[in-house]
Amino acid sequence: MSTPMELFVNEMRELFLPDEVYVMDGTQEEAERLANLAEKSTLDGRTVLKKLNWQEYPNSYYHNSNPNDVARTEHLTFVCTPTQEEAGPNNNWLNPNEAKDKMDGFFKGAMKGRTMYIIPFVMGNPKSKYAKNCIQVTDSIYVALSMRVMSRVGKQAIEKIGNSSDFFRGMHSIGDVNPDRRFIMHFPQENLVMSFGSGYGGNALLGKKCYSLRIGSYLGKQEGWLAEHMIIIGVQAPDGKITYFLGAFPSACGKTNLALLEPVLKGYKVWTLGDDIAWINIGDDGKLYAINPESGFFGVAPGTGMKTNPVMMKTLKNDKFPPTLFTNTAIDNSNNTPWWEGVSDKVPSDLTDWQGGVYDKNLGKPAAHPNSRFTVSVYNCPTLSCEYDNPRGVPISGIIFGGRRKDTIPLVYEAKDWNSGVFIASSIGSETTAAATGKVGAVRRDPMAMLPFCGYNMGDYFQHWLDIGKKVKHLPKIFMVNWFRKNEVGKFMWPGFRENSRVIKWMIDRIEGKVDATEVEIGLLPKIDSLDLAGLDIDKEVVEKLLKINKDDWKKEIEMVEDFYTKFGDKIPKELKDYLLELKNKLTL
Ligand code: SAT
Ligand code: MN
């Protein structure tokens, strides 16, 4: 009798009709072998991997993609549930049968002349009861190698699955990289994702956003946990005590920099556990515990440099766990290193741009694609927490939400309780930057920074957050931050980056009950004297402004949130509607 796993692999073989089938074992020897093979392979007329300078960046390779395949494609991403209501207005929806028919058409025989890589992997430490077992098939070596960095690939996944049918199934073929034949379809009820036509991270590394967030959030709702788009950090105080935080931010808010922060405050240290995804469970002791299901960083290269994120630069130069991949950056031909805007002040004179052309800086275009990426193992990170592999996860004392706002939102405030924290998170707004398409500076709502990643109706998701709050005995405190407030002449008022550790210190003091706060309509604000501003060149009036609530701004804010809520109709939980009304009344008094 075949096991469900064997049946799945056979089904895949019959559907995709590959010339060869290869089962990955996750060893380093295998990674080297596949990288060598990728150096000799072409896709789309491009060599899949090129070796970079290993003196500068050990074990690193370069990959560039079709210019039409450089980012997630939300308009081609679907949640396929029996009813549209289950997927909610936050997702594109297709009937599961219709979606499967469509994908079958693309998948049939798509791997003829290619090798099918079977990737058995575990999201989370295989020893953790919170870990999940998965199998992805793909015909892209780049995807296979990336998966080795981003997840725990190897035999342990096969052993853990054994005879069980309880594992995630990921079906991926890069096809002919044609945007007209590109879809990412999620089937939460079947623990299944089908993806065709893209090799890009979030579209193709199915353990990442597809499984760990979209399918994960659905599983979390069923099983009583949370799959969140959050960093995990441990902040060590001078007395040695470590306080664990989660943090969720829409894109372009400095999330990765916070995950690898070097605090400016003496005696403080940030230990990194995750830069993108957290799975949060209720522990036996009634606390929330978080694990990072991933084992790598898939980070944006532009803007990463020794000034903005020295820890990441060091991570990229470590070689404990190979390989490190650079995708769609430029190449400095003088020494065969990857180059991107922000890695050095000076633009090298002999650059190949991300599409393989000679770079001419006079054309005013960037040499690296704005969404060019590095893929690197967490084990290369010098600030990796020693608790990273703890199967139990780390106990969470604080959850930080944030957004990029030139006005309205103060530098930091604390939610009065869990439910008001859920309200704050459900109404996060952030201004769009040049990194996203559309109007620059428009405020977009992105609840919990999960809008593109929640695999079911977001109204039900808010309810799930409220329900979790009822079950947890020791609830973490919830904070909202805004590092981006501007003054009358459009200048940032807060220095940001390493100075943000001052705000985190205040949070720790609040968690430990060491400082009082001022209660205002929206929550609890720091008393100016309880912020540690020693050594920072900032006027007291500026700090006062940073912590000011302008009622007129807030009335407008509430209207915008009300408007956003109407999208979800009856699905918005009563607690949140009541809270919104209460806040509105307080602000109009
Ligand atoms: O590949 S990811 O989806 O994680 C990165 C992105 O947001 O595009
Ligand atoms: Mn992300």
Side-chain angles (χ1 to χ4, degrees):
M1 270 286 282
S2 303
T3 65
M5 192 169 28
E6 285 160 354
L7 286 175
F8 173 62
V9 171
N10 281 338
E11 239 177 74
M12 294 303 100
R13 192 198 301 261
E14 280 162 25
L15 174 66
F16 286 110
L17 300 176
D19 283 11
E20 280 177 57
V21 176
Y22 176 81
V23 183
M24 284 181 77
D25 63 15
T27 59
Q28 187 167 326
E29 180 276 318
E30 173 186 78
E32 282 167 25
R33 193 162 22 89
L34 293 183
N36 289 342
L37 185 63
E39 281 185 273
K40 291 181 216 120
S41 311
T42 55
L43 180 83
D44 234 12
R46 291 172 188 78
T47 305
V48 175
L49 287 185
K50 289 182 195 147
K51 209 179 233 173
L52 291 163
N53 180 335
W54 284 20
Q55 262 88 50
E56 292 288 329
Y57 292 91
N59 292 301
S60 64
Y61 292 89
Y62 180 73
H63 172 82
N64 65 344
S65 71
N66 189 309
N68 78 33
D69 189 30
V70 293
R72 273 184 298 108
T73 42
E74 282 171 27
H75 63 294
L76 304 173
T77 301
F78 288 76
V79 168
C80 310
T81 42
T83 67
Q84 182 160 12
E85 191 186 276
E86 284 164 88
N90 46 300
N91 283 302
N92 299 316
W93 176 81
L94 252 181
N95 170 284
N97 292 332
E98 210 179 304
K100 280 183 195 161
D101 282 350
K102 204 178 183 78
M103 296 310 277
D104 259 8
F106 298 143
F107 281 163
K108 266 185 196 143
M111 297 189 190
K112 272 186 200 154
R114 298 182 183 177
T115 298
M116 175 162 81
Y117 296 90
I118 314 270
I119 315 170
F121 64 102
V122 183
M123 295 310 292
N125 180 345
K127 293 202 188 88
S128 171
K129 65 176 176 187
Y130 307 131
K132 299 276 184 192
N133 305 323
C134 311
I135 298 199
Q136 173 174 346
V137 302
T138 182
D139 52 8
S140 157
I141 313 183
Y142 167 76
V143 167
L145 275 169
S146 301
M147 285 295 291
R148 169 182 151 78
V149 177
M150 298 304 298
S151 69
R152 282 123 162 142
V153 170
K155 286 199 200 87
Q156 56 307 21
I158 297 180
E159 279 156 21
K160 283 192 69 195
I161 294 171
N163 294 326
S164 162
S165 58
D166 180 19
F167 59 93
F168 165 69
R169 291 156 170 84
M171 299 163 65
H172 173 253
S173 167
I174 192 161
D176 51 1
V177 205
N178 176 349
D180 296 332
R181 290 156 45 80
R182 177 175 297 158
F183 285 102
I184 300 99
M185 305 278 195
H186 301 71
F187 304 86
Q189 278 88 353
E190 294 169 64
N191 207 1
L192 169 73
V193 172
M194 299 181 172
S195 165
F196 188 80
S198 166
Y200 175 76
N203 294 338
L205 313 180
L206 301 185
K208 198 173 178 47
K209 297 293 183 4
C210 298
Y211 180 66
S212 288
L213 288 180
R214 295 197 192 93
I215 302 283
S217 60
Y218 172 83
L219 293 177
K221 166 96 172 142
Q222 308 300 308
E223 299 168 2
W225 53 281
L226 291 165
E228 295 299 326
H229 190 204
M230 288 179 173
I231 64 166
I232 314 173
I233 53 174
V235 184
Q236 186 171 337
D239 63 5
K241 189 165 176 225
I242 300 178
T243 308
Y244 292 96
F245 288 90
L246 297 169
F249 297 80
S251 55
C253 287
K255 184 178 166 192
T256 308
N257 291 345
L258 186 61
L260 284 83
L261 189 76
E262 278 188 324
V264 76
L265 288 180
K266 251 197 142 145
Y268 283 81
K269 177 148 180 82
V270 167
W271 296 105
T272 307
L273 291 107
D275 77 324
D276 199 34
I277 298 175
W279 283 355
I280 309 154
N281 282 274
I282 305 172
D284 299 333
D285 57 2
K287 290 184 188 160
L288 281 182
Y289 281 83
I291 64 161
N292 172 8
E294 299 191 281
S295 59
F297 306 135
F298 181 64
V300 178
T304 308
M306 282 312 281
K307 276 189 212 134
T308 53
N309 197 337
V311 180
M312 190 59 95
M313 289 310 296
K314 287 177 206 152
T315 304
L316 295 174
K317 296 196 171 210
N318 275 345
D319 67 348
K320 265 195 220 147
F321 192 102
T324 295
L325 308 177
F326 292 90
T327 304
N328 292 337
T329 62
I331 292 184
D332 179 350
N333 295 312
S334 70
N335 58 2
N336 192 31
T337 53
W339 191 88
W340 54 85
E341 280 68 21
V343 73
S344 62
D345 291 336
K346 240 186 102 208
V347 180
S349 54
D350 185 7
L351 264 188
T352 296
D353 71 20
W354 68 277
Q355 290 182 62
V358 178
Y359 181 63
D360 177 359
K361 68 174 171 195
N362 299 320
L363 295 179
K365 281 196 202 152
H369 188 277
N371 194 34
S372 53
R373 298 266 171 170
F374 47 76
T375 313
V376 65
S377 167
V378 294
Y379 294 106
N380 287 341
C381 177
T383 59
L384 185 70
S385 161
C386 59
E387 292 292 310
Y388 165 76
D389 264 319
N390 189 332
R392 201 181 57 157
V394 289
I396 299 301
S397 303
I399 307 181
I400 308 170
F401 291 101
R404 170 185 283 267
R405 296 293 297 273
K406 64 181 185 318
D407 49 36
T408 315
I409 312 292
L411 175 65
V412 59
Y413 66 105
E414 179 189 319
K416 270 175 248 174
D417 52 29
W418 180 263
N419 282 8
S420 59
V422 174
F423 170 80
I424 291 167
S426 76
S427 57
I428 291 178
S430 201
E431 284 151 17
T432 49
T433 65
T437 45
K439 204 173 132 226
V440 173
V443 176
R444 265 204 216 149
R445 297 288 144 190
D446 188 357
M448 285 81 168
M450 276 288 278
L451 193 61
F453 306 118
C454 180
Y456 61 100
N457 192 311
M458 210 141 201
D460 292 330
Y461 167 76
F462 296 155
Q463 185 62 55
H464 183 46
W465 263 83
L466 294 168
D467 292 344
I468 290 278
K470 290 179 201 125
K471 289 189 205 139
V472 178
K473 208 157 70 208
H474 307 284
L475 282 166
K477 280 191 182 293
I478 296 181
F479 301 94
M480 177 74 194
V481 299
N482 174 21
W483 317 129
F484 303 96
R485 204 147 159 172
K486 288 183 177 169
N487 64 14
E488 302 75 29
V489 293
K491 276 235 159 89
F492 288 119
M493 290 157 76
W494 179 248
F497 296 101
R498 300 181 61 197
E499 306 291 347
N500 294 339
S501 53
R502 299 175 188 276
V503 174
I504 295 174
K505 174 178 188 286
W506 178 77
M507 294 176 188
I508 297 175
D509 289 344
R510 286 293 299 157
I511 288 164
E512 298 196 335
K514 285 188 187 154
V515 292
D516 287 336
T518 308
E519 183 161 348
V520 294
E521 294 85 347
I522 62 164
L524 302 155
L525 284 170
K527 295 201 186 298
I528 203 157
D529 301 334
S530 54
L531 276 176
D532 186 341
L533 301 171
L536 179 64
D537 185 16
I538 192 167
D539 288 343
K540 205 171 166 193
E541 299 87 80
V542 175
V543 183
E544 273 163 6
K545 271 193 200 157
L546 278 164
L547 297 173
K548 206 171 156 57
I549 304 298
N550 177 316
K551 280 197 181 188
D552 288 332
D553 284 353
W554 269 92
K555 278 184 218 157
K556 275 186 236 148
E557 182 76 5
I558 294 296
E559 271 169 32
M560 278 156 78
V561 174
E562 239 176 345
D563 190 44
F564 177 70
Y565 272 9
T566 55
K567 275 195 196 159
F568 301 93
D570 294 346
K571 285 283 186 185
I572 295 290
K574 185 172 177 312
E575 281 103 321
L576 296 188
K577 276 194 204 146
D578 289 350
Y579 185 82
L580 186 130
L581 210 64
E582 193 189 312
L583 192 55
K584 203 171 167 178
N585 288 338
K586 275 190 206 157
L587 287 161
T588 38
L589 279 182

